[in-house]
Amino acid sequence: MSASKRTATITLDGKTIDLPVHHGTTGPDVVDIRKLYAEGDVFTFDPGFTSTAACESGITYIDGDAGELLYRGYPIEQLAEQSSHLEVCYLLLYGELPTPAQLADFEGRVTRHTMVHEQMHYFFRGFRRDSHPMATMVGVVGAMSAFYHDSLDINDPWQREVAAIRMIAKLPTIAAMAYKYSIGQPFVYPKNSLDYASNFLHMCFAVPCEEYVVKPALAKAMDRIMMLHADHEQNASTSTVRLAGSSGANPFACIAAGIACLWGPAHGGANQACLEMLREIGTVDRIPEFIRRAKDKNDSFRLMGFGHRVYKNFDPRAKVMKESADEVLGLLGIENNETLKVAKELERIALEDEYFVSKKLYPNVDFYSGIILEAMGFPTSMFTPIFALSRTVGWISQWKEMIADPAQKIGRPRQLYVGPTRRDYIAIGAR
Ligand code: SDX
């Protein structure tokens, strides 16, 4: 961050307060209001943080108007085309693309942490079989702090590093276990001979009775989905991880908090809600009815997978996901998939409709992802767990950046109080 020559001046009751303005490397400048309360005895008010930068970060940059997403400066479209999820994990964690030797070492470290403590298998037994896999993941990931005591000290850089590797390595295993448990099948152990995405698909779809061979094209599509979801600036779940981490909570508890936040249908739960909406629409001829409902102020229905707080142009991830949907469904011989047809027609109609155009509502990352995941054989309940395991690297990278920031303080927002002023207690006999 660097100070710019600009200042913002607030005049309150005749008092003038000059607030410094800071530059980043790109994107909007920020007005530093840290001294506002002390000098002006007022708070700023920004529910939902629509105009608030909560931190300094060098990890991910989004230009919502241009529809641009950069991981450490590299465009998501180029990474999705040329990189791999574990290479993107290295990039997000350490800031630079790895050399071949660095990547091989990193892949080796992650691969050798993919198993979970055998005792954790018993955790799953406590859940009902019909538990949503996200409920299981929140519980089991939070419980990791009861097992991995040698990576809980957030002040030890080495323990932070080990916690990061463990999280990236074990989240796919835990997500696969949550899936297997929900369908009554035995857990499948990770195989070190498989790459990261193939290992996840194998743990989800293999059974002990026969050999399961992962199709390379599906593994590549899975790996691309993971890359597209890896990080996304200060979204709700990442902000949750940062806020939890600001109190000094251990990394496993912070990631569990992020998983809980991601579950909401306005956030990571939208991929499940979107596919369920597309199924409810069912056929192209029913689209106008749903477009009308989405525009009706008195109807709580929203087009799931549409709109975004930051993107006021196409979400670049949605573009890649749409191409991937065509590729995967074509590979599986289901290119005439009715759900994909409804999705494409819904997108076309919405993008010509004044309501969506005026509000700059475009398909987001969740609009097409569910179509691909369903085609791969996942139930809708596994869509958000896959988002969570993919976003783990973003959460842990942002958490590490925050912990290492010397200016880091516990997050403690204030409020505009609108409740009763001081009043005396009334004994129950007098009420
Ligand atoms: C993710 O933050 C991130 O980066 C998140 C994410 C990530 O990678 O971490 O990108 C992942 O969460 C993607 C978003 C997934 N959610 C959905 O697809 C759910 C549907 N979308 C909306 O609920 C909504 O668009 C949000 C929550 C995504 C964004 O909400 P905002 O920025 O708070 O915008 P808003 O709710 O104030 O809406 C602005 C206007 C409103 O109309 P007015 O009150 O101004 O008249 O647009 C309307 C809304 O009613 N609107 C929609 C709509 N989204 C917004 N109308 C119909 N359908 C929609 N989907």
Side-chain angles (χ1 to χ4, degrees), residues 93-127:
L93 276 171
Y94 306 117
E96 296 297 337
L97 288 170
T99 63
Q102 287 168 331
L103 181 57
D105 170 66
F106 182 74
E107 286 174 341
R109 282 190 291 145
V110 170
T111 300
R112 282 169 186 79
H113 277 281
T114 48
M115 280 210 309
V116 295
H117 190 295
E118 194 69 5
Q119 191 84 9
M120 292 190 86
H121 289 208
Y122 299 112
F123 261 107
F124 287 85
R125 306 264 178 266
F127 290 94

PDB file of all heavy atoms in Angstrom, residues 93-127:
ATOM      1  N   LEU A  93      -0.474 -19.809  -2.653  1.00  0.00           N
ATOM      2  CA  LEU A  93       0.181 -19.872  -1.338  1.00  0.00           C
ATOM      3  C   LEU A  93       1.475 -19.071  -1.303  1.00  0.00           C
ATOM      4  O   LEU A  93       1.749 -18.351  -0.341  1.00  0.00           O
ATOM      5  CB  LEU A  93       0.511 -21.337  -0.999  1.00  0.00           C
ATOM      6  CG  LEU A  93      -0.602 -22.193  -0.366  1.00  0.00           C
ATOM      7  CD1 LEU A  93      -0.137 -23.648  -0.313  1.00  0.00           C
ATOM      8  CD2 LEU A  93      -0.960 -21.692   1.022  1.00  0.00           C
ATOM      9  N   TYR A  94       2.289 -19.192  -2.359  1.00  0.00           N
ATOM     10  CA  TYR A  94       3.658 -18.637  -2.282  1.00  0.00           C
ATOM     11  C   TYR A  94       3.878 -17.437  -3.203  1.00  0.00           C
ATOM     12  O   TYR A  94       4.940 -16.823  -3.187  1.00  0.00           O
ATOM     13  CB  TYR A  94       4.679 -19.739  -2.595  1.00  0.00           C
ATOM     14  CG  TYR A  94       4.508 -20.967  -1.728  1.00  0.00           C
ATOM     15  CD1 TYR A  94       4.169 -22.202  -2.295  1.00  0.00           C
ATOM     16  CD2 TYR A  94       4.609 -20.892  -0.337  1.00  0.00           C
ATOM     17  CE1 TYR A  94       3.974 -23.321  -1.508  1.00  0.00           C
ATOM     18  CE2 TYR A  94       4.416 -22.011   0.462  1.00  0.00           C
ATOM     19  CZ  TYR A  94       4.095 -23.228  -0.128  1.00  0.00           C
ATOM     20  OH  TYR A  94       3.889 -24.339   0.654  1.00  0.00           O
ATOM     21  N   GLY A  95       2.916 -17.132  -4.096  1.00  0.00           N
ATOM     22  CA  GLY A  95       2.992 -15.878  -4.846  1.00  0.00           C
ATOM     23  C   GLY A  95       3.604 -15.963  -6.220  1.00  0.00           C
ATOM     24  O   GLY A  95       3.462 -15.054  -7.031  1.00  0.00           O
ATOM     25  N   GLU A  96       4.279 -17.078  -6.544  1.00  0.00           N
ATOM     26  CA  GLU A  96       4.908 -17.217  -7.859  1.00  0.00           C
ATOM     27  C   GLU A  96       4.607 -18.597  -8.441  1.00  0.00           C
ATOM     28  O   GLU A  96       4.371 -19.557  -7.686  1.00  0.00           O
ATOM     29  CB  GLU A  96       6.436 -17.054  -7.743  1.00  0.00           C
ATOM     30  CG  GLU A  96       6.895 -15.670  -7.273  1.00  0.00           C
ATOM     31  CD  GLU A  96       6.520 -14.541  -8.251  1.00  0.00           C
ATOM     32  OE1 GLU A  96       6.313 -14.834  -9.466  1.00  0.00           O
ATOM     33  OE2 GLU A  96       6.402 -13.394  -7.795  1.00  0.00           O
ATOM     34  N   LEU A  97       4.649 -18.730  -9.747  1.00  0.00           N
ATOM     35  CA  LEU A  97       4.518 -20.048 -10.376  1.00  0.00           C
ATOM     36  C   LEU A  97       5.739 -20.879 -10.015  1.00  0.00           C
ATOM     37  O   LEU A  97       6.857 -20.362  -9.971  1.00  0.00           O
ATOM     38  CB  LEU A  97       4.406 -19.887 -11.897  1.00  0.00           C
ATOM     39  CG  LEU A  97       3.082 -19.303 -12.412  1.00  0.00           C
ATOM     40  CD1 LEU A  97       3.213 -18.977 -13.898  1.00  0.00           C
ATOM     41  CD2 LEU A  97       1.933 -20.274 -12.172  1.00  0.00           C
ATOM     42  N   PRO A  98       5.576 -22.166  -9.716  1.00  0.00           N
ATOM     43  CA  PRO A  98       6.710 -23.001  -9.283  1.00  0.00           C
ATOM     44  C   PRO A  98       7.589 -23.429 -10.451  1.00  0.00           C
ATOM     45  O   PRO A  98       7.123 -23.532 -11.592  1.00  0.00           O
ATOM     46  CB  PRO A  98       6.013 -24.228  -8.678  1.00  0.00           C
ATOM     47  CG  PRO A  98       4.735 -24.343  -9.430  1.00  0.00           C
ATOM     48  CD  PRO A  98       4.312 -22.930  -9.734  1.00  0.00           C
ATOM     49  N   THR A  99       8.855 -23.681 -10.139  1.00  0.00           N
ATOM     50  CA  THR A  99       9.716 -24.351 -11.126  1.00  0.00           C
ATOM     51  C   THR A  99       9.277 -25.818 -11.158  1.00  0.00           C
ATOM     52  O   THR A  99       8.558 -26.265 -10.244  1.00  0.00           O
ATOM     53  CB  THR A  99      11.185 -24.290 -10.666  1.00  0.00           C
ATOM     54  OG1 THR A  99      11.280 -25.034  -9.423  1.00  0.00           O
ATOM     55  CG2 THR A  99      11.653 -22.852 -10.455  1.00  0.00           C
ATOM     56  N   PRO A 100       9.711 -26.578 -12.158  1.00  0.00           N
ATOM     57  CA  PRO A 100       9.340 -28.000 -12.179  1.00  0.00           C
ATOM     58  C   PRO A 100       9.710 -28.714 -10.885  1.00  0.00           C
ATOM     59  O   PRO A 100       8.925 -29.489 -10.338  1.00  0.00           O
ATOM     60  CB  PRO A 100      10.132 -28.536 -13.381  1.00  0.00           C
ATOM     61  CG  PRO A 100      10.280 -27.354 -14.285  1.00  0.00           C
ATOM     62  CD  PRO A 100      10.441 -26.173 -13.379  1.00  0.00           C
ATOM     63  N   ALA A 101      10.880 -28.404 -10.348  1.00  0.00           N
ATOM     64  CA  ALA A 101      11.325 -29.070  -9.104  1.00  0.00           C
ATOM     65  C   ALA A 101      10.442 -28.652  -7.924  1.00  0.00           C
ATOM     66  O   ALA A 101      10.040 -29.487  -7.100  1.00  0.00           O
ATOM     67  CB  ALA A 101      12.778 -28.733  -8.823  1.00  0.00           C
ATOM     68  N   GLN A 102      10.109 -27.360  -7.867  1.00  0.00           N
ATOM     69  CA  GLN A 102       9.249 -26.874  -6.768  1.00  0.00           C
ATOM     70  C   GLN A 102       7.862 -27.525  -6.857  1.00  0.00           C
ATOM     71  O   GLN A 102       7.270 -27.915  -5.854  1.00  0.00           O
ATOM     72  CB  GLN A 102       9.121 -25.353  -6.838  1.00  0.00           C
ATOM     73  CG  GLN A 102      10.383 -24.611  -6.413  1.00  0.00           C
ATOM     74  CD  GLN A 102      10.328 -23.122  -6.770  1.00  0.00           C
ATOM     75  OE1 GLN A 102       9.663 -22.724  -7.754  1.00  0.00           O
ATOM     76  NE2 GLN A 102      11.018 -22.310  -6.010  1.00  0.00           N
ATOM     77  N   LEU A 103       7.342 -27.640  -8.084  1.00  0.00           N
ATOM     78  CA  LEU A 103       6.005 -28.236  -8.238  1.00  0.00           C
ATOM     79  C   LEU A 103       6.028 -29.708  -7.845  1.00  0.00           C
ATOM     80  O   LEU A 103       5.150 -30.179  -7.116  1.00  0.00           O
ATOM     81  CB  LEU A 103       5.520 -28.079  -9.679  1.00  0.00           C
ATOM     82  CG  LEU A 103       4.127 -28.643  -9.980  1.00  0.00           C
ATOM     83  CD1 LEU A 103       3.058 -28.024  -9.086  1.00  0.00           C
ATOM     84  CD2 LEU A 103       3.759 -28.438 -11.459  1.00  0.00           C
ATOM     85  N   ALA A 104       7.072 -30.416  -8.265  1.00  0.00           N
ATOM     86  CA  ALA A 104       7.175 -31.846  -7.933  1.00  0.00           C
ATOM     87  C   ALA A 104       7.256 -32.028  -6.418  1.00  0.00           C
ATOM     88  O   ALA A 104       6.593 -32.891  -5.843  1.00  0.00           O
ATOM     89  CB  ALA A 104       8.403 -32.451  -8.610  1.00  0.00           C
ATOM     90  N   ASP A 105       8.031 -31.183  -5.760  1.00  0.00           N
ATOM     91  CA  ASP A 105       8.159 -31.263  -4.296  1.00  0.00           C
ATOM     92  C   ASP A 105       6.814 -30.956  -3.627  1.00  0.00           C
ATOM     93  O   ASP A 105       6.360 -31.674  -2.725  1.00  0.00           O
ATOM     94  CB  ASP A 105       9.231 -30.265  -3.815  1.00  0.00           C
ATOM     95  CG  ASP A 105       9.237 -30.120  -2.298  1.00  0.00           C
ATOM     96  OD1 ASP A 105       9.581 -31.109  -1.622  1.00  0.00           O
ATOM     97  OD2 ASP A 105       8.802 -29.045  -1.794  1.00  0.00           O
ATOM     98  N   PHE A 106       6.129 -29.928  -4.112  1.00  0.00           N
ATOM     99  CA  PHE A 106       4.836 -29.532  -3.519  1.00  0.00           C
ATOM    100  C   PHE A 106       3.800 -30.644  -3.715  1.00  0.00           C
ATOM    101  O   PHE A 106       3.088 -31.031  -2.784  1.00  0.00           O
ATOM    102  CB  PHE A 106       4.362 -28.234  -4.173  1.00  0.00           C
ATOM    103  CG  PHE A 106       3.075 -27.695  -3.625  1.00  0.00           C
ATOM    104  CD1 PHE A 106       3.033 -27.087  -2.376  1.00  0.00           C
ATOM    105  CD2 PHE A 106       1.893 -27.783  -4.357  1.00  0.00           C
ATOM    106  CE1 PHE A 106       1.835 -26.581  -1.861  1.00  0.00           C
ATOM    107  CE2 PHE A 106       0.700 -27.285  -3.858  1.00  0.00           C
ATOM    108  CZ  PHE A 106       0.670 -26.684  -2.605  1.00  0.00           C
ATOM    109  N   GLU A 107       3.749 -31.170  -4.934  1.00  0.00           N
ATOM    110  CA  GLU A 107       2.802 -32.268  -5.206  1.00  0.00           C
ATOM    111  C   GLU A 107       3.102 -33.466  -4.308  1.00  0.00           C
ATOM    112  O   GLU A 107       2.202 -34.111  -3.774  1.00  0.00           O
ATOM    113  CB  GLU A 107       2.865 -32.670  -6.673  1.00  0.00           C
ATOM    114  CG  GLU A 107       2.205 -31.664  -7.621  1.00  0.00           C
ATOM    115  CD  GLU A 107       2.416 -32.014  -9.096  1.00  0.00           C
ATOM    116  OE1 GLU A 107       3.355 -32.792  -9.397  1.00  0.00           O
ATOM    117  OE2 GLU A 107       1.662 -31.505  -9.937  1.00  0.00           O
ATOM    118  N   GLY A 108       4.398 -33.734  -4.103  1.00  0.00           N
ATOM    119  CA  GLY A 108       4.777 -34.855  -3.245  1.00  0.00           C
ATOM    120  C   GLY A 108       4.343 -34.637  -1.808  1.00  0.00           C
ATOM    121  O   GLY A 108       3.801 -35.546  -1.161  1.00  0.00           O
ATOM    122  N   ARG A 109       4.516 -33.399  -1.312  1.00  0.00           N
ATOM    123  CA  ARG A 109       4.111 -33.098   0.071  1.00  0.00           C
ATOM    124  C   ARG A 109       2.591 -33.215   0.226  1.00  0.00           C
ATOM    125  O   ARG A 109       2.089 -33.829   1.183  1.00  0.00           O
ATOM    126  CB  ARG A 109       4.574 -31.697   0.474  1.00  0.00           C
ATOM    127  CG  ARG A 109       6.066 -31.645   0.823  1.00  0.00           C
ATOM    128  CD  ARG A 109       6.444 -30.320   1.449  1.00  0.00           C
ATOM    129  NE  ARG A 109       6.385 -29.227   0.495  1.00  0.00           N
ATOM    130  CZ  ARG A 109       6.008 -27.981   0.821  1.00  0.00           C
ATOM    131  NH1 ARG A 109       5.609 -27.715   2.042  1.00  0.00           N
ATOM    132  NH2 ARG A 109       6.000 -27.026  -0.084  1.00  0.00           N
ATOM    133  N   VAL A 110       1.849 -32.681  -0.739  1.00  0.00           N
ATOM    134  CA  VAL A 110       0.375 -32.771  -0.643  1.00  0.00           C
ATOM    135  C   VAL A 110      -0.055 -34.234  -0.728  1.00  0.00           C
ATOM    136  O   VAL A 110      -0.823 -34.723   0.102  1.00  0.00           O
ATOM    137  CB  VAL A 110      -0.295 -31.952  -1.759  1.00  0.00           C
ATOM    138  CG1 VAL A 110      -1.799 -32.228  -1.821  1.00  0.00           C
ATOM    139  CG2 VAL A 110      -0.044 -30.457  -1.547  1.00  0.00           C
ATOM    140  N   THR A 111       0.497 -34.962  -1.688  1.00  0.00           N
ATOM    141  CA  THR A 111       0.097 -36.376  -1.878  1.00  0.00           C
ATOM    142  C   THR A 111       0.274 -37.175  -0.589  1.00  0.00           C
ATOM    143  O   THR A 111      -0.556 -38.011  -0.238  1.00  0.00           O
ATOM    144  CB  THR A 111       0.934 -37.010  -3.013  1.00  0.00           C
ATOM    145  OG1 THR A 111       0.686 -36.259  -4.212  1.00  0.00           O
ATOM    146  CG2 THR A 111       0.561 -38.467  -3.230  1.00  0.00           C
ATOM    147  N   ARG A 112       1.355 -36.893   0.132  1.00  0.00           N
ATOM    148  CA  ARG A 112       1.625 -37.692   1.343  1.00  0.00           C
ATOM    149  C   ARG A 112       0.864 -37.197   2.570  1.00  0.00           C
ATOM    150  O   ARG A 112       1.111 -37.644   3.681  1.00  0.00           O
ATOM    151  CB  ARG A 112       3.139 -37.717   1.602  1.00  0.00           C
ATOM    152  CG  ARG A 112       3.819 -38.689   0.675  1.00  0.00           C
ATOM    153  CD  ARG A 112       5.333 -38.615   0.656  1.00  0.00           C
ATOM    154  NE  ARG A 112       5.813 -39.516  -0.385  1.00  0.00           N
ATOM    155  CZ  ARG A 112       5.805 -39.184  -1.683  1.00  0.00           C
ATOM    156  NH1 ARG A 112       5.307 -38.027  -2.063  1.00  0.00           N
ATOM    157  NH2 ARG A 112       6.233 -40.031  -2.620  1.00  0.00           N
ATOM    158  N   HIS A 113      -0.050 -36.268   2.376  1.00  0.00           N
ATOM    159  CA  HIS A 113      -0.893 -35.851   3.503  1.00  0.00           C
ATOM    160  C   HIS A 113      -2.373 -36.125   3.222  1.00  0.00           C
ATOM    161  O   HIS A 113      -3.237 -35.643   3.941  1.00  0.00           O
ATOM    162  CB  HIS A 113      -0.704 -34.355   3.779  1.00  0.00           C
ATOM    163  CG  HIS A 113       0.492 -34.030   4.626  1.00  0.00           C
ATOM    164  ND1 HIS A 113       0.509 -34.172   5.990  1.00  0.00           N
ATOM    165  CD2 HIS A 113       1.715 -33.591   4.292  1.00  0.00           C
ATOM    166  CE1 HIS A 113       1.692 -33.811   6.473  1.00  0.00           C
ATOM    167  NE2 HIS A 113       2.440 -33.454   5.472  1.00  0.00           N
ATOM    168  N   THR A 114      -2.649 -36.901   2.157  1.00  0.00           N
ATOM    169  CA  THR A 114      -4.070 -37.041   1.770  1.00  0.00           C
ATOM    170  C   THR A 114      -4.860 -37.965   2.705  1.00  0.00           C
ATOM    171  O   THR A 114      -6.069 -37.884   2.773  1.00  0.00           O
ATOM    172  CB  THR A 114      -4.184 -37.595   0.326  1.00  0.00           C
ATOM    173  OG1 THR A 114      -3.305 -38.726   0.212  1.00  0.00           O
ATOM    174  CG2 THR A 114      -3.785 -36.526  -0.690  1.00  0.00           C
ATOM    175  N   MET A 115      -4.193 -38.863   3.422  1.00  0.00           N
ATOM    176  CA  MET A 115      -4.952 -39.726   4.347  1.00  0.00           C
ATOM    177  C   MET A 115      -5.349 -38.929   5.582  1.00  0.00           C
ATOM    178  O   MET A 115      -4.641 -38.031   6.005  1.00  0.00           O
ATOM    179  CB  MET A 115      -4.086 -40.916   4.790  1.00  0.00           C
ATOM    180  CG  MET A 115      -4.024 -42.031   3.779  1.00  0.00           C
ATOM    181  SD  MET A 115      -3.808 -43.654   4.532  1.00  0.00           S
ATOM    182  CE  MET A 115      -2.426 -43.398   5.595  1.00  0.00           C
ATOM    183  N   VAL A 116      -6.505 -39.296   6.178  1.00  0.00           N
ATOM    184  CA  VAL A 116      -6.887 -38.683   7.452  1.00  0.00           C
ATOM    185  C   VAL A 116      -6.611 -39.674   8.574  1.00  0.00           C
ATOM    186  O   VAL A 116      -6.517 -40.883   8.342  1.00  0.00           O
ATOM    187  CB  VAL A 116      -8.381 -38.262   7.480  1.00  0.00           C
ATOM    188  CG1 VAL A 116      -8.657 -37.162   6.456  1.00  0.00           C
ATOM    189  CG2 VAL A 116      -9.310 -39.442   7.301  1.00  0.00           C
ATOM    190  N   HIS A 117      -6.492 -39.170   9.787  1.00  0.00           N
ATOM    191  CA  HIS A 117      -6.270 -40.025  10.960  1.00  0.00           C
ATOM    192  C   HIS A 117      -7.381 -41.082  10.989  1.00  0.00           C
ATOM    193  O   HIS A 117      -8.573 -40.758  10.859  1.00  0.00           O
ATOM    194  CB  HIS A 117      -6.327 -39.153  12.213  1.00  0.00           C
ATOM    195  CG  HIS A 117      -5.894 -39.831  13.473  1.00  0.00           C
ATOM    196  ND1 HIS A 117      -6.579 -40.880  14.017  1.00  0.00           N
ATOM    197  CD2 HIS A 117      -4.845 -39.602  14.283  1.00  0.00           C
ATOM    198  CE1 HIS A 117      -5.968 -41.269  15.123  1.00  0.00           C
ATOM    199  NE2 HIS A 117      -4.919 -40.504  15.309  1.00  0.00           N
ATOM    200  N   GLU A 118      -6.995 -42.335  11.162  1.00  0.00           N
ATOM    201  CA  GLU A 118      -7.979 -43.440  11.088  1.00  0.00           C
ATOM    202  C   GLU A 118      -9.120 -43.251  12.087  1.00  0.00           C
ATOM    203  O   GLU A 118     -10.260 -43.607  11.834  1.00  0.00           O
ATOM    204  CB  GLU A 118      -7.264 -44.770  11.346  1.00  0.00           C
ATOM    205  CG  GLU A 118      -8.080 -46.000  10.970  1.00  0.00           C
ATOM    206  CD  GLU A 118      -8.284 -46.146   9.457  1.00  0.00           C
ATOM    207  OE1 GLU A 118      -7.713 -45.353   8.672  1.00  0.00           O
ATOM    208  OE2 GLU A 118      -9.085 -47.032   9.082  1.00  0.00           O
ATOM    209  N   GLN A 119      -8.800 -42.610  13.190  1.00  0.00           N
ATOM    210  CA  GLN A 119      -9.824 -42.401  14.241  1.00  0.00           C
ATOM    211  C   GLN A 119     -10.954 -41.517  13.731  1.00  0.00           C
ATOM    212  O   GLN A 119     -12.084 -41.572  14.199  1.00  0.00           O
ATOM    213  CB  GLN A 119      -9.134 -41.718  15.443  1.00  0.00           C
ATOM    214  CG  GLN A 119      -9.973 -41.672  16.691  1.00  0.00           C
ATOM    215  CD  GLN A 119      -9.880 -42.955  17.515  1.00  0.00           C
ATOM    216  OE1 GLN A 119      -9.056 -43.825  17.242  1.00  0.00           O
ATOM    217  NE2 GLN A 119     -10.722 -43.068  18.499  1.00  0.00           N
ATOM    218  N   MET A 120     -10.658 -40.691  12.698  1.00  0.00           N
ATOM    219  CA  MET A 120     -11.678 -39.741  12.195  1.00  0.00           C
ATOM    220  C   MET A 120     -12.826 -40.474  11.519  1.00  0.00           C
ATOM    221  O   MET A 120     -13.915 -39.941  11.381  1.00  0.00           O
ATOM    222  CB  MET A 120     -11.042 -38.725  11.247  1.00  0.00           C
ATOM    223  CG  MET A 120     -10.099 -37.777  11.958  1.00  0.00           C
ATOM    224  SD  MET A 120      -9.600 -36.413  10.891  1.00  0.00           S
ATOM    225  CE  MET A 120     -10.955 -35.268  11.170  1.00  0.00           C
ATOM    226  N   HIS A 121     -12.551 -41.731  11.124  1.00  0.00           N
ATOM    227  CA  HIS A 121     -13.643 -42.490  10.494  1.00  0.00           C
ATOM    228  C   HIS A 121     -14.835 -42.593  11.441  1.00  0.00           C
ATOM    229  O   HIS A 121     -15.973 -42.599  11.009  1.00  0.00           O
ATOM    230  CB  HIS A 121     -13.163 -43.908  10.127  1.00  0.00           C
ATOM    231  CG  HIS A 121     -12.208 -43.922   8.983  1.00  0.00           C
ATOM    232  ND1 HIS A 121     -12.069 -44.988   8.135  1.00  0.00           N
ATOM    233  CD2 HIS A 121     -11.346 -42.981   8.519  1.00  0.00           C
ATOM    234  CE1 HIS A 121     -11.164 -44.706   7.205  1.00  0.00           C
ATOM    235  NE2 HIS A 121     -10.702 -43.496   7.448  1.00  0.00           N
ATOM    236  N   TYR A 122     -14.529 -42.626  12.752  1.00  0.00           N
ATOM    237  CA  TYR A 122     -15.629 -42.800  13.707  1.00  0.00           C
ATOM    238  C   TYR A 122     -16.502 -41.551  13.784  1.00  0.00           C
ATOM    239  O   TYR A 122     -17.663 -41.608  14.146  1.00  0.00           O
ATOM    240  CB  TYR A 122     -15.066 -43.157  15.098  1.00  0.00           C
ATOM    241  CG  TYR A 122     -14.287 -44.442  15.084  1.00  0.00           C
ATOM    242  CD1 TYR A 122     -12.900 -44.470  15.290  1.00  0.00           C
ATOM    243  CD2 TYR A 122     -14.924 -45.644  14.782  1.00  0.00           C
ATOM    244  CE1 TYR A 122     -12.192 -45.638  15.237  1.00  0.00           C
ATOM    245  CE2 TYR A 122     -14.226 -46.837  14.722  1.00  0.00           C
ATOM    246  CZ  TYR A 122     -12.848 -46.823  14.941  1.00  0.00           C
ATOM    247  OH  TYR A 122     -12.132 -47.997  14.866  1.00  0.00           O
ATOM    248  N   PHE A 123     -15.931 -40.402  13.447  1.00  0.00           N
ATOM    249  CA  PHE A 123     -16.720 -39.155  13.471  1.00  0.00           C
ATOM    250  C   PHE A 123     -17.935 -39.287  12.571  1.00  0.00           C
ATOM    251  O   PHE A 123     -19.036 -38.887  12.902  1.00  0.00           O
ATOM    252  CB  PHE A 123     -15.871 -37.983  12.945  1.00  0.00           C
ATOM    253  CG  PHE A 123     -15.289 -37.160  14.035  1.00  0.00           C
ATOM    254  CD1 PHE A 123     -13.945 -37.213  14.328  1.00  0.00           C
ATOM    255  CD2 PHE A 123     -16.100 -36.344  14.790  1.00  0.00           C
ATOM    256  CE1 PHE A 123     -13.412 -36.464  15.351  1.00  0.00           C
ATOM    257  CE2 PHE A 123     -15.575 -35.591  15.812  1.00  0.00           C
ATOM    258  CZ  PHE A 123     -14.226 -35.649  16.098  1.00  0.00           C
ATOM    259  N   PHE A 124     -17.685 -39.888  11.392  1.00  0.00           N
ATOM    260  CA  PHE A 124     -18.783 -39.961  10.419  1.00  0.00           C
ATOM    261  C   PHE A 124     -19.931 -40.796  10.993  1.00  0.00           C
ATOM    262  O   PHE A 124     -21.085 -40.540  10.721  1.00  0.00           O
ATOM    263  CB  PHE A 124     -18.272 -40.559   9.103  1.00  0.00           C
ATOM    264  CG  PHE A 124     -17.396 -39.612   8.333  1.00  0.00           C
ATOM    265  CD1 PHE A 124     -16.041 -39.521   8.600  1.00  0.00           C
ATOM    266  CD2 PHE A 124     -17.948 -38.770   7.379  1.00  0.00           C
ATOM    267  CE1 PHE A 124     -15.237 -38.627   7.907  1.00  0.00           C
ATOM    268  CE2 PHE A 124     -17.144 -37.872   6.679  1.00  0.00           C
ATOM    269  CZ  PHE A 124     -15.792 -37.801   6.948  1.00  0.00           C
ATOM    270  N   ARG A 125     -19.572 -41.814  11.769  1.00  0.00           N
ATOM    271  CA  ARG A 125     -20.604 -42.726  12.292  1.00  0.00           C
ATOM    272  C   ARG A 125     -21.630 -41.971  13.132  1.00  0.00           C
ATOM    273  O   ARG A 125     -22.740 -42.415  13.331  1.00  0.00           O
ATOM    274  CB  ARG A 125     -19.942 -43.815  13.153  1.00  0.00           C
ATOM    275  CG  ARG A 125     -18.838 -44.564  12.426  1.00  0.00           C
ATOM    276  CD  ARG A 125     -19.290 -45.882  11.796  1.00  0.00           C
ATOM    277  NE  ARG A 125     -18.192 -46.518  11.085  1.00  0.00           N
ATOM    278  CZ  ARG A 125     -17.969 -46.352   9.772  1.00  0.00           C
ATOM    279  NH1 ARG A 125     -18.779 -45.587   9.075  1.00  0.00           N
ATOM    280  NH2 ARG A 125     -16.953 -46.932   9.165  1.00  0.00           N
ATOM    281  N   GLY A 126     -21.234 -40.791  13.663  1.00  0.00           N
ATOM    282  CA  GLY A 126     -22.174 -40.051  14.517  1.00  0.00           C
ATOM    283  C   GLY A 126     -23.243 -39.311  13.731  1.00  0.00           C
ATOM    284  O   GLY A 126     -24.244 -38.872  14.276  1.00  0.00           O
ATOM    285  N   PHE A 127     -23.040 -39.187  12.408  1.00  0.00           N
ATOM    286  CA  PHE A 127     -24.016 -38.456  11.581  1.00  0.00           C
ATOM    287  C   PHE A 127     -25.069 -39.406  11.022  1.00  0.00           C
ATOM    288  O   PHE A 127     -24.782 -40.567  10.776  1.00  0.00           O
ATOM    289  CB  PHE A 127     -23.303 -37.758  10.410  1.00  0.00           C
ATOM    290  CG  PHE A 127     -22.446 -36.604  10.831  1.00  0.00           C
ATOM    291  CD1 PHE A 127     -21.095 -36.773  11.087  1.00  0.00           C
ATOM    292  CD2 PHE A 127     -22.994 -35.343  10.988  1.00  0.00           C
ATOM    293  CE1 PHE A 127     -20.294 -35.697  11.477  1.00  0.00           C
ATOM    294  CE2 PHE A 127     -22.209 -34.263  11.379  1.00  0.00           C
ATOM    295  CZ  PHE A 127     -20.850 -34.452  11.614  1.00  0.00           C
TER     296      PHE A 127
END
